[in-house]
Amino acid sequence: MNLQEQYENLLGLNLQELENLAAGFGQPRYRGRQIYHGIYVRRARDLAALSDLSREFRSALASHHSIAYPKVEREFASHDGSVRYLFRLPDDNRVETVYMPEEDRTTLCLSSQVGCALDCRFCFTALLGARRNLTAGEIIGQVLAVTTAQNVPRGARLNLVFMGMGEPMLNLPQVTSAVAILADPKGVGVTLRRITVSTVGIVPRIEEFAQISVRPKLAISLNASNDQQRSALMPINQKYPLADLLRVCRAYPLRPWEHITFEYVLLDGVNDSDEDARRVADLLRDLRAKVNLIPYNSGPNLPYRAPRFERVVAFQKILTDRRIPTFIRISRGQDIFAACGQLSLEGQVA
Ligand code: SAH
């Protein structure tokens, strides 16, 4: 067994769990609050840095616990400023996170699972198959490891998107626990409205997600304009076809400031025709929706290509003419294989 596995990681524990932990050591409960503040606000990276605890308590803690960030195994820096981080986890699984700085904000693309079970035909992560869920600590660890490495200060405009490896709705308990700590003003302190969970559309999980108290924004990977096409691209559509998916979207309890984002990966000659655009507009007509068009990011071993840019713009116009706010998303980090759907752990650099 790897050394780290013998120690229970404090990262991922919430306030109550840390208070209970302190009490278990015969300490007052507020010591738990000090640990919470230390690891999430001050970003202490080891127990020694929890300087408001007594030395005795720290050494007692150290016999079973640690603060373990995921280890950066490699980083790939893109010409556009984004960086793909390859992390090694204590069990030697690997997972990726992408850092994308912009002028007025920073976006981190987080992974929720090692590999993915869903087998979307165009996605490189799918080629890995399902491995395991990440823990809340491993999700929060991605955020803390990258923000400390890149000196992103607390309070900076930070967006978190669960659009890396994995299907967050198939790891909802850990994603929910992580988000509660990430969005806690007394925890990591990321604005809740700046956190987005993206899903292929697991219908019962979306219903569950709708009920959680600290609920981030929802994005749905639509990627097709009818069931036949969607099932061919995303096998999960056979289980949860468009009618079911759109039914939960219509029932979804949107907050006043909110809309549902639909992502649509444009694949040349597959789902990018004018008729597709019109059908998408029909599907979304009675929803408070926004569409992000993502020209496909190609790579080895998969046959798809992006359409010509004029096609992307024509597709957008059909939607905007029908009053659906539609944006073209050019993925960052294509030269380091860090773009949407390209995360695949093979360590390639184009
Ligand atoms: N499993 C979740 C989150 C991960 S994928 C989901 O499917 O939503 C994040 C987004 O990247 C999805 O919208 C997916 O359709 C898109 N995507 C996957 N592979 C892609 C590729 N090669 N090029 C562009 N977008 C891709």
Side-chain angles (χ1 to χ4, degrees), residues 72-188:
V72 178
E73 183 162 288
R74 289 185 74 178
E75 338 179 352
F76 307 90
S78 166
H79 298 306
D80 67 17
S82 54
V83 181
R84 173 163 67 109
Y85 284 89
L86 176 63
F87 287 113
R88 197 171 76 229
L89 305 173
D91 63 356
D92 285 339
N93 267 308
R94 289 167 174 80
V95 88
E96 299 182 23
T97 306
V98 186
Y99 161 78
M100 293 171 281
E102 284 164 79
E103 237 166 60
D104 56 343
R105 61 183 169 173
T106 298
T107 301
L108 302 187
C109 182
L110 305 177
S111 293
S112 57
Q113 299 183 305
V114 183
C116 188
L118 286 169
D119 212 21
C120 298
R121 298 291 183 238
F122 47 84
C123 178
F124 292 89
T125 306
L127 300 175
L128 294 169
R131 305 229 178 137
R132 73 164 170 88
N133 283 335
L134 295 184
T135 63
E138 288 166 340
I139 294 169
I140 295 170
Q142 295 172 62
V143 177
L144 293 179
V146 175
T147 51
T148 49
Q150 293 287 345
N151 296 314
V152 180
R154 192 183 163 76
R157 283 181 110 198
L158 182 65
N159 295 321
L160 303 177
V161 296
F162 285 86
M163 296 184 188
M165 309 176 85
E167 168 52 43
M169 294 290 178
L170 293 181
N171 186 18
L172 199 50
Q174 296 299 315
V175 168
T176 306
S177 307
V179 165
I181 295 169
L182 290 168
D184 179 3
K186 292 185 170 159
V188 180

Side-chain angles (χ1 to χ4, degrees), residues 239-304:
K239 196 160 179 194
Y240 303 115
L242 285 170
D244 292 352
L245 179 57
L246 294 168
R247 180 182 48 74
V248 284
C249 290
R250 283 191 205 96
Y252 189 78
L254 284 171
R255 290 155 286 194
W257 47 268
E258 197 177 10
H259 48 248
I260 300 180
T261 298
F262 288 86
E263 297 150 280
Y264 195 99
V265 178
L266 284 165
L267 306 166
D268 185 36
V270 176
N271 65 356
D272 64 342
S273 69
D274 287 354
E275 300 83 79
D276 285 311
R278 285 193 286 266
R279 279 195 294 261
V280 168
D282 285 344
L283 290 173
L284 304 182
R285 196 169 33 204
D286 51 355
L287 279 162
R288 198 146 88 224
K290 167 185 140 178
V291 173
N292 281 343
L293 299 175
I294 313 171
Y296 185 63
N297 300 303
S298 49
N301 305 325
L302 291 180
Y304 302 99

